[in-house]
Amino acid sequence: MGTDLKVVVFGSPMAVGHVRPLMPLAARLVARGFDVVWAVSGDPDEPASVWKEPFAKMGVTFVDVDAVAPFARNDAFPSLSAASVYPRALARSNDIAAGAAIAIAAAARGRTVVAGVNDYFALWAYVAMRKLGIDRIKTVVSCLLYTSPSPRD
């Protein structure tokens, strides 16, 4: 990846329903000559690191947010109910956005970041991108919530 490439930053939770829908866009950007930096935040039972190899195969620079800014209040939100999801997203944003911004800036290595794309549930990514001064940010809903049965069952 050359130093003259322009960068597009992605941010998402680690769950497959948040990542896979955005992968074709990232692949298309790489094919068109952009460097894609993708930051992912997970949980102890679903670590972000599972995406390192798939992203490397795509030519995407992976930022493991868990390694630099783990979400320490994971146990404070044990339910994935609708009443718990958004407070959890807000708490995660508060706790990890600053560390994520530092890690994303390091991955961008001083190159021009022309845009950001974040999953709706990765509010932390939006905050991190704003901290980095990224003006063009698109927030997308890339996941459907399941109430029953659980996608983990």
Side-chain angles (χ1 to χ4, degrees):
M1 292 176 218
T3 58
D4 59 337
L5 291 178
K6 294 196 177 178
V7 179
V8 177
V9 174
F10 281 63
S12 68
M14 72 71 50
V16 69
H18 296 283
V19 176
R20 286 219 188 270
L22 294 173
M23 289 174 82
L25 175 58
R28 179 76 174 162
L29 288 166
V30 169
R32 295 186 87 190
F34 290 88
D35 190 5
V36 172
V37 171
W38 199 322
V40 179
S41 175
D43 290 314
D45 60 332
E46 296 180 313
S49 60
V50 300
W51 291 105
K52 183 177 182 176
E53 186 177 325
F55 286 165
K57 288 179 181 176
M58 292 173 55
V60 169
T61 302
F62 172 65
V63 174
D64 184 348
V65 177
D66 298 345
V68 296
F71 181 51
R73 291 193 281 168
N74 186 55
D75 293 339
F77 303 93
S79 168
L80 291 179
S81 71
S84 177
V85 169
Y86 203 68
R88 177 186 179 90
L90 291 172
R92 184 181 298 265
S93 178
N94 184 65
D95 294 0
I96 73 170
I102 291 167
I104 291 166
R109 299 186 312 267
R111 294 169 292 161
T112 303
V113 177
V114 295
V117 177
N118 72 290
D119 177 89
Y120 177 80
F121 289 97
L123 182 59
W124 60 266
Y126 177 85
V127 174
M129 290 177 205
R130 295 302 298 157
K131 285 180 175 292
L132 293 171
I134 300 171
D135 293 323
R136 298 177 67 191
I137 302 172
K138 296 295 179 190
T139 300
V140 297
V141 177
S142 60
C143 176
L144 298 175
L145 292 177
Y146 298 94
T147 55
S148 181
S150 169
R152 295 181 186 167
D153 292 338

